[in-house]
Amino acid sequence: SSELTQDPTVSVALGQTVRITCQGDSLRGFYASWFQQKPGQAPLLVIYDRDKRPSGIPDRFSGSSSGNTASLTIAGAQAEDEGDYYCNSRDTNSDHLVVFGGGTKLTVL
Amino acid sequence: EVHLEESGGVSVQPGRSLRLSCTASGFMFGDYAMTWFRQAPGKGLEWVGFIRIKGYGGTSEYAASVKGRFTISRDDSKSVAYLQMNNLKIEDTAVYYCSRDMYGDEPPEYFQYWGRGTLVTVSS
């Protein structure tokens, strides 16, 4: 299956902007979704179809993509944004399969 | 309101079998594919597989890591999806989540709704 690569850790000062990236060959053909996960909780979809936000997700979350890289940007990071972030997309080899990045732990300082 | 609840997670020995259930409410269960994911302790998310709706044959697809050992099924009359896990291995230890996608796509793509998960521990 395809692989998606994320930086393991990222930090941001409170109120500043942070970008979390996800790289992989599957992103040349499929858009990424992004999930936020806090300890002991289920994942929460924050971005889908590259740049769309589900209802209830603050507009400080945005998504973009270029080539084989997808990005999640949090503009004006808040303390409650701290957690793990995962990207996912369909698999290049078979579009009914799903691949995830390894996750990025975001720390808000 | 969409609600998903997993159940059935326990501690079992390697080689044994276990069936997890995902009970759904708040939507027309038969109109949506259902997907299972898992997360090993301290690790990332892993897609396990999904089952299509009856209109698409009700067939299932699986990750290579579980293919041949795990089977997903559904009972639309009860709004329940099942994950039958056979020949369990230590590396199958994880929290197992069921999920429904946003639009009822084929295959499912935008995983908006998740249960709280159920823990399966495989240990001798």
Side-chain angles (χ1 to χ4, degrees):
Chain A
S1 64
S2 304
E3 294 183 353
L4 297 176
T5 302
Q6 298 181 239
D7 292 328
T9 61
V10 171
S11 61
V12 61
L14 183 67
Q16 297 302 301
T17 296
V18 61
R19 175 175 292 181
I20 299 170
T21 61
C22 172
Q23 288 187 303
D25 288 342
S26 63
L27 299 179
R28 295 187 185 280
F30 300 108
Y31 289 141
S33 295
W34 290 91
F35 298 87
Q36 175 195 71
Q37 188 179 34
K38 299 182 180 181
Q41 296 185 15
L44 173 69
L45 182 67
V46 295
I47 293 290
Y48 68 99
D49 200 15
R50 186 180 68 173
D51 58 1
K52 298 179 176 59
R53 280 179 290 107
S55 174
I57 301 302
D59 60 6
R60 63 179 180 271
F61 289 88
S62 64
S64 62
S65 70
S66 177
N68 72 336
T69 301
S71 300
L72 172 69
T73 300
I74 308 174
Q78 303 299 303
E80 61 263 32
D81 299 333
E82 191 165 281
D84 296 323
Y85 289 83
Y86 296 92
C87 61
N88 92 303
S89 78
R90 294 187 184 181
D91 189 322
T92 299
N93 298 318
S94 180
D95 67 1
H96 61 250
L97 303 182
V98 172
V99 291
F100 280 93
T104 297
K105 182 175 181 59
L106 176 67
T107 301
V108 180
L109 303 172
Chain B
E1 180 186 359
V2 173
H3 184 74
L4 301 171
E5 184 171 349
E6 303 89 345
S7 60
V10 293
S11 181
V12 296
Q13 293 179 325
R16 304 298 290 263
S17 297
L18 190 63
R19 189 178 79 163
L20 306 182
S21 300
C22 170
T23 302
S25 61
F27 64 100
M28 291 296 293
F29 183 78
D31 289 346
Y32 291 86
M34 295 301 296
T35 302
W36 286 92
F37 296 92
R38 68 182 181 182
Q39 186 170 34
K43 302 298 185 181
L45 296 167
E46 180 184 12
W47 176 82
V48 173
F50 79 98
I51 185 165
R52 297 178 173 88
I53 62 173
K54 291 291 192 289
Y56 282 102
T59 54
S60 302
E61 305 290 348
Y62 302 94
S65 58
V66 306
K67 197 169 186 178
R69 299 188 300 122
F70 289 13
T71 302
I72 300 172
S73 60
R74 63 190 299 155
D75 185 337
D76 291 350
S77 69
K78 297 181 179 178
S79 297
V80 180
Y82 301 100
L83 178 64
Q84 176 69 41
M85 303 183 292
N86 297 332
N87 188 22
L88 281 161
K89 304 177 180 181
I90 291 176
E91 53 264 37
D92 294 321
T93 295
V95 174
Y96 285 75
Y97 297 98
C98 64
S99 176
R100 197 211 88 178
D101 78 321
M102 185 178 291
Y103 296 126
D105 290 326
E106 166 53 37
E109 186 164 10
Y110 310 128
F111 302 102
Q112 184 176 20
Y113 302 101
W114 296 66
R116 296 171 62 90
T118 188
L119 176 62
V120 174
T121 302
V122 184
S123 172
S124 56

